[in-house]
Every structure is written in C-alpha cells, then in structure tokens.
Amino acid sequence: MNIVFRHERMAATFNSLKELSQIYGADNARRILKRLNELAAAENLDVMRHLPGRCHELKHDRAGQLAVDVRHPYRLIFEPANEPIPRKDDGGLDWSQVTTIRIVEVEDYHG
C-alpha cells in the first residue's frame, strides 16, 4: 500500500528510528516501524486482516479511522486515503480496494 502522513514533520519522525525511539521508546519504535513495513508491503488493506496486529475499524468519534496494535495500550491509527474512499454496496469500507492510507498518530485511545 501507499502510505502518506498527516504532515511532513510526521513523515520525518516516522522515517527515523532515532526520533521514534525518543518519543515512544526503543521497543515501541521498532514495533511501529514493523507495522509500517507490513502496511507498505500489503497489496491492499484486506491483507492486514490476516496478519498479527489486529487491524480493525474504529467507532464513535474515530469512525472512518482504523488501528493496528503496536504494544498495549498503543495503537497505530490511520485512515483510508484513496479518493474517493472505496465503499461496498452497504456503505461499509471496501478493505480490498483500499490501497493508500494516511497515518494519523500513535496513541492510547482508551486512556
């Protein structure tokens, strides 16, 4: 998949193990990069359903976003960035057609 970031500064941070380590700690930084590499290697979002990391759609105030586990309680949060966002006939997200995502943040959204 193609991966884009909310802004250039975020892209620079997420492309630097050193910067990620300073912000999230060395172990989380490695896990974040692993998840990014898995996302980048996937042909489409549907592939992520079958990999570790529990890729899932979020609800309520985060509807339209998805997350993969980094290390409890942190999640890598992203959203489809295809234009237009692919939808199934029932209005749900068509995971098999999502080929571009935008990284939003790494967060403990339960806290």
Side-chain angles (χ1 to χ4, degrees), residues 1-57:
M1 276 189 292
N2 298 314
I3 298 176
V4 296
F5 295 86
R6 261 192 341 198
H7 45 75
E8 286 184 36
R9 182 69 201 122
M10 177 183 269
T13 298
F14 277 71
N15 284 302
S16 167
L17 179 60
K18 180 180 177 181
E19 284 190 46
L20 280 175
S21 295
Q22 290 171 343
I23 297 168
Y24 300 106
D27 188 49
N28 281 334
R30 284 190 297 276
R31 290 171 186 254
I32 291 166
L33 290 177
K34 179 181 179 193
R35 293 292 180 234
L36 286 173
N37 287 335
E38 290 168 349
L39 287 162
E43 181 179 337
N44 58 56
L45 189 56
D46 195 52
V47 171
M48 295 304 295
R49 290 184 192 264
H50 310 289
L51 296 177
R54 208 175 55 86
C55 188
H56 58 285
E57 291 184 59

